[in-house]
Amino acid sequence: MHFISQELEDYIEQHSQKEPELLAALNKETYQKILLPRMLSGHFQGRVLSMLSKLIRPLNILEIGTYTGYSALCLCEGMQEGGTLHTIDIKEELIDFQRKHFDKSPWGSQIVQHLGEAIDIIPTIDLKFDLVFIDADKENYINYFELIVPKMNKGGIILSDNVLWSGKVLEPLQKNDLSTKILLEYNNLLINDPRVETVLLPIRDGLTVSRIL
């Protein structure tokens, strides 16, 4: 996941906006109590998500893949007053952990948690979205994208995480590596789909920004 030196990553964090105290505490508790803490967005990517949300000023946000709630809180920082963030995850054991930290934030009442398969839940949410963050099982990225596009407002932004997949997108495709296969197809879809314009940013494990035309 590290494409530049640790020293340079440290310098970047030191010269980016400071991590808010609530998120620093969430970061720490995730590393103390939750399996696979590297899945957390973390300080730098979190500030990128926050900045993008503040530039977009979304009314309604959809997040696919909640984990411990760090990225959801970052995305809420730019949400309009009266807006909502819907976040979907399959891990029931994380629901209470997420909610504890959501309720410590100014947006607790505006965050709606959904438990289950996103592919089943997305069609049931009767909203148009201004901002979507896809950060769940890679095998369904294309399915998520196709479900989401009709629910986007014109000019809305879809953010897709992990699109460089630790550099595997440049390596010979291994037999039975479905995640990399789908990500290669997904990256090609985004750059060729006439419904969006796309730029792939080499942030952390790769973050694609796609704008609905």
Side-chain angles (χ1 to χ4, degrees):
M1 193 179 290
H2 295 277
F3 301 110
I4 61 176
S5 70
Q6 187 62 55
E7 291 78 11
L8 196 52
E9 287 193 1
D10 291 342
Y11 182 87
I12 290 168
E13 284 199 8
Q14 291 162 9
H15 291 81
S16 296
Q17 197 70 23
K18 186 178 178 182
E19 186 179 38
E21 288 185 11
L22 173 63
L23 291 175
L26 172 52
N27 194 333
K28 182 178 180 180
E29 189 171 353
T30 298
Y31 271 84
Q32 289 174 335
K33 299 179 179 179
I34 307 297
L35 290 173
L36 302 174
R38 67 191 291 271
M39 291 173 57
L40 195 81
S41 290
H43 174 197
F44 173 58
Q45 186 179 22
R47 291 305 86 205
V48 172
L49 295 177
S50 169
M51 182 67 77
L52 289 171
S53 184
K54 288 170 182 173
L55 291 170
I56 297 162
R57 295 291 294 145
L59 179 61
N60 293 311
I61 305 170
L62 174 64
E63 178 184 55
I64 305 172
T66 315
Y67 190 47
T68 57
Y70 190 101
S71 54
L73 291 173
C74 293
L75 295 169
C76 282
E77 292 180 32
M79 186 168 59
Q80 292 184 37
E81 185 176 350
T84 58
L85 180 142
H86 289 257
T87 186
I88 306 170
D89 206 282
I90 61 171
K91 293 184 173 63
E92 185 175 2
E93 66 272 19
L94 292 178
I95 290 289
D96 291 341
F97 186 97
Q98 298 160 6
R99 177 49 60 186
K100 178 179 72 172
H101 291 278
F102 290 161
D103 287 345
K104 290 179 181 178
S105 79
W107 311 285
S109 63
Q110 296 166 267
I111 299 174
V112 181
Q113 294 165 284
H114 299 269
L115 177 64
E117 297 287 347
I119 205 162
D120 299 322
I121 292 170
I122 293 168
T124 71
I125 304 175
D126 188 21
L127 287 173
K128 285 282 192 176
F129 294 101
D130 306 297
L131 177 60
V132 173
F133 183 41
I134 305 176
D135 186 19
D137 56 312
K138 312 312 163 194
E139 294 87 346
N140 271 309
Y141 266 36
I142 293 172
N143 295 327
Y144 296 148
F145 179 78
E146 295 295 350
L147 285 171
I148 288 164
V149 169
K151 289 179 167 289
M152 298 294 296
N153 286 317
K154 185 175 181 179
I157 298 294
I158 299 172
L159 303 174
S160 307
D161 201 16
N162 305 116
V163 291
L164 295 179
W165 208 222
S166 299
K168 290 182 181 180
V169 292
L170 293 180
E171 299 171 358
L173 183 62
Q174 300 298 309
K175 187 178 180 180
N176 300 324
D177 185 356
L178 182 59
S179 293
T180 302
K181 179 178 182 291
I182 294 297
L183 281 173
L184 287 167
E185 295 174 3
Y186 183 67
N187 290 341
N188 286 330
L189 169 64
L190 292 185
I191 199 61
N192 290 298
D193 194 312
R195 297 172 293 178
V196 296
E197 57 179 347
T198 289
V199 60
L200 197 165
L201 305 176
I203 292 172
R204 204 159 172 259
D205 197 26
L207 181 70
T208 297
V209 181
S210 302
R211 177 176 174 269
I212 299 293
L213 297 176

